[in-house]
Amino acid sequence: MFTGIVTDIGTVVELEQRGDLRARIRTAYDTGRIDIGASIASDGVCLTVIALGADWYDVEVSAETVSKTNLGKWTVGKRLNLERALKVGDELGGHIVSGHVDGVAEVVSVTQEGDSTRVRFRAPHALARFIAPKGSVALNGTSLTVNEVEGDEFGINLIPHTKEATTWGDVRAGDLVNLEIDTLARYVARLAEAG
């Protein structure tokens, strides 16, 4: 489990297709304190550490994960939002995030509003019903508050701190981002369907 509070910006330094996609990610984390088998959310995708070096970790990404996320678009040099798994007693500053991406949303527009940035997204139609104004979503692993929803589109606001502490300062229209809907929204919708 994660919180959607990004704690490092990593960089993809190697990619290799070996049946599954293998990626090496450079990090500022103390890799001496990371175990093989640990989970690290990388742009919101819970990935398992399979090898470690002084300032990097390797992960393997299955074809299933590539098909449901934006990882197929990763290139060497891409910056990633990273978060280590939640430990008992950690502050829950965002919302409960599983790292199991539901789909990919497209950035429709990016507009400056004072020092902040308003970003509009188009969600896959099947997921849009789970997104509500003032609710939470995880986008590329970042816990964000939804401002407005219109059909399949929704908007969020990025404050300067978020743009500096994550990769959101790089956002452009047309970008594809990993979307994880709020787990509570999923269960509320399921209960409503059951009657």
Side-chain angles (χ1 to χ4, degrees), residues 4 6 9 43-44 70 78-81 105-110 112 116-121 137-144 154 156-173 175-179:
V6 172
I9 297 176
D43 259 5
N70 69 4
K78 178 167 178 50
R79 294 175 356 117
L80 307 171
N81 293 320
E106 179 182 0
V107 176
V108 175
S109 64
V110 179
Q112 288 304 121
S116 296
T117 303
R118 174 75 58 149
V119 184
R120 287 193 59 83
F121 299 88
V137 292
L139 296 167
N140 278 356
T142 310
S143 175
L144 296 166
F154 66 97
I156 58 99
N157 190 60
L158 300 170
I159 63 171
H161 172 78
T162 302
K163 293 187 293 185
E164 292 168 13
T166 69
T167 62
W168 284 106
D170 304 334
V171 67
R172 302 287 179 266
D175 287 352
L176 299 177
V177 301
N178 294 319
L179 167 64

